[in-house]
Structure formats: structure tokens, C-alpha cells
Amino acid sequence: EFSLRTINLADNSLEFINIFVKFFNDEVNLERNMLGKSFFLENPNLDIQVGFFLGSNNLTLIPAGFESFKTLEVFSVNNNQIASIEKNAFSAMSLLLNLDLSKNLLRNISTQTFVSLSKLEFLNLSFNLIEFVQTELFYSLNILVTLDLSHNFLKLISSRQLLFLVNLENIYLNNNPLITISLLYTIPFKNIYVPNEICQRFENIESLRQSLQVKMRRQVLDIQFYQSVNVLFDFSNSYSDRDCIN
């Protein structure tokens, strides 16, 4: 066994890497290589304390069995070909703060996927193929601050799906084919990034901002609108989803 603080093998053309001995380090960077789906199976001895960066490789699956990642704080597997996350893949990562799954092929995510990530503050799911968010997908993420769902295929987002995100401040919904957004005022957003064209109940962005401030009883710092779709902000006490009335 030996200890290294940082291992940086990014920007190579590595297709295969096998660590035969157990090593301890704070950060491992293997971004922008050609590592494939067998990488995790070939390296069961990895023991990374703080940050693990695997972006821009050829990974297709996140398997279960990361028992040595109990202190990991940052896990980045963006820009791969990941279409599946095995049940309990993140079960040992109870101290994880930042998870980047952006730019992959994720479509359906099990409600058990994030169940152990109670410390998570930043979750990036942008640039995937997500069409629907299951109601209990985020139920353990009660200290999450930023959720990025931009550049997916969502048509509906509602408070029912975000109910457990009691500390959420920033949500990115831009570049989705959204038809309905129904958000209860109990969700403490500061920044909401959604497609533009506001419902007729709001004359302009400023009136929407003022309404959000009144209903949420806190300052709304920024609201940005992208694209052109009908958007509904439902501040009623009902969880029913409804479309804008033109």
C-alpha cells in the first residue's frame, strides 16, 4: 500500500488501466481518455478520498460496489455513454457533495439511485434523455442546493416531483420541451431557469418575480427564460398539474 495526494492521467488515450495494489489518495483525474465499461470491474482496489473525475471517456454503466468510496466528495462521470446506473451504485458515497452525470444517455433513473446521498448539494443531470422525473427520485436529497435538468426531454415538472428538495435554491429547466411547470410556493428557489413566454397571469418577468417574492416570502434573485413555450407557475395549495390557458 502507498499513498499519493493526486493522480492526474487526463488527456491521454488510455483504453485500459489496472491498479494491482491498493493506493490511497485525495484526487484521481482520468478525464478525456478512452476507458470503457470494464474500467470499474478491472479496478476494485481504488480508494479515493475526495475527488474522482472520469469525464469524457467511453463508460456505459455505473455499477454497484463502490465500498471504498466512503469519503468521496466529488464524483464526475460527465460526457460518457452511460445509459444505466445499477441499484445501490452510490450506496457507499454517503458524504458525496457534488455528482455530475451530465452529457450521458440516461433516460430512466430508479427511485433508489440517490437514496444514500443525503449530503449531496449539487446534482447535474443535464444533456441526457430524461423524459419524466419519478415522484420519489429526489426524496433523500433534502440539502440539495442546485439541480440541473436542462437539455433533456421533460414536458412536465411539478412540485410533487421536487417536494423533498426543501433547500433547493437553483433549478435549471431550460432547453426542455416543457408544456407545464407547476410549482408550489413552499419550494425555496432563488434562481429558476425555464423556457420563456410567461402565462397570461403574469404580464412580464418583473410581475412574475414579484409574485414569487410574495408567495415564497423571500427574495427572488434571478429568473431567466429560454425558448418559447407556455409555462405555469401554480402557487395554489393543490398538487394538481394544469396547463396554461391562452
Side-chain angles (χ1 to χ4, degrees):
E1 296 183 355
F2 62 95
S3 177
L4 295 171
R5 293 297 300 272
T6 301
I7 295 177
N8 190 343
L9 293 172
D11 297 295
N12 287 285
S13 298
L14 295 173
E15 297 182 12
F16 174 83
I17 182 171
N18 194 321
I19 309 300
F20 290 99
V21 294
K22 190 171 185 177
F23 64 90
F24 300 86
N25 43 41
D26 287 345
E27 183 176 301
V28 173
N29 189 343
L30 295 172
E31 292 184 322
R32 295 177 296 278
N33 280 289
M34 301 174 66
L35 299 171
K37 61 182 180 181
S38 61
F39 168 78
F40 295 111
L41 299 176
E42 294 164 350
N43 295 277
N45 293 318
L46 290 172
D47 194 338
I48 301 166
Q49 305 296 308
V50 180
F52 194 13
F53 303 89
L54 282 165
S56 301
N57 277 282
N58 297 320
L59 304 175
T60 60
L61 169 72
I62 301 180
F66 294 104
E67 297 302 322
S68 59
F69 289 176
K70 294 180 180 179
T71 64
L72 197 67
E73 296 181 2
V74 180
F75 187 39
S76 178
V77 287
N78 64 301
N79 198 26
N80 278 277
Q81 301 168 34
I82 297 169
S84 178
I85 302 173
E86 288 188 355
K87 184 179 179 181
N88 299 323
F90 305 125
S91 61
M93 302 184 193
S94 59
L95 298 181
L96 198 67
L97 301 176
N98 190 323
L99 177 59
D100 189 350
L101 295 166
S102 64
K103 298 183 179 179
N104 279 291
L105 302 175
L106 294 171
R107 186 184 303 272
N108 299 309
I109 303 176
S110 166
T111 56
Q112 298 298 310
T113 301
F114 306 125
V115 69
S116 300
L117 304 182
S118 60
K119 303 292 185 183
L120 198 67
E121 296 181 2
F122 302 94
L123 175 59
N124 192 343
L125 292 168
S126 64
F127 291 94
N128 275 283
L129 305 174
I130 301 170
E131 297 178 350
F132 181 75
V133 174
Q134 297 191 61
T135 303
E136 296 185 351
L137 180 60
F138 305 127
Y139 80 90
S140 64
L141 306 184
N142 53 23
I143 66 170
L144 193 74
V145 175
T146 297
L147 173 62
D148 194 342
L149 288 166
S150 64
H151 297 272
N152 276 285
F153 293 88
L154 295 170
K155 292 183 179 180
L156 163 69
I157 198 76
S158 74
S159 297
R160 187 165 43 205
Q161 297 159 315
L162 308 176
L163 181 64
F164 302 97
L165 303 178
V166 295
N167 285 296
L168 190 67
E169 295 186 358
N170 309 293
I171 183 168
Y172 295 82
L173 299 171
N174 48 292
N175 293 91
N176 279 283
L178 285 164
I179 297 173
T180 299
I181 301 178
S182 178
L183 301 179
L184 290 175
Y185 62 82
T186 52
I187 299 177
F189 297 120
K190 284 185 180 178
N191 305 292
I192 308 172
Y193 302 88
V194 298
N196 68 8
E197 188 169 318
I198 308 165
C199 228
Q200 285 187 351
R201 63 189 296 178
F202 302 110
E203 295 179 359
N204 50 46
I205 292 178
E206 184 57 34
S207 65
L208 172 57
R209 186 193 306 274
Q210 291 174 0
S211 180
L212 285 169
Q213 287 181 223
V214 171
K215 298 296 185 179
M216 288 197 265
R217 294 179 174 82
R218 64 183 296 169
Q219 183 181 9
V220 179
L221 300 181
D222 192 17
I223 302 172
Q224 296 188 14
F225 294 85
Y226 302 84
Q227 298 181 353
S228 178
V229 319
N230 291 323
V231 177
L232 168 65
F233 285 83
D234 183 357
F235 298 112
S236 69
N237 290 320
S238 169
Y239 288 108
S240 62
D241 300 315
R242 54 191 174 85
D243 293 336
C244 284
I245 301 174
N246 293 317

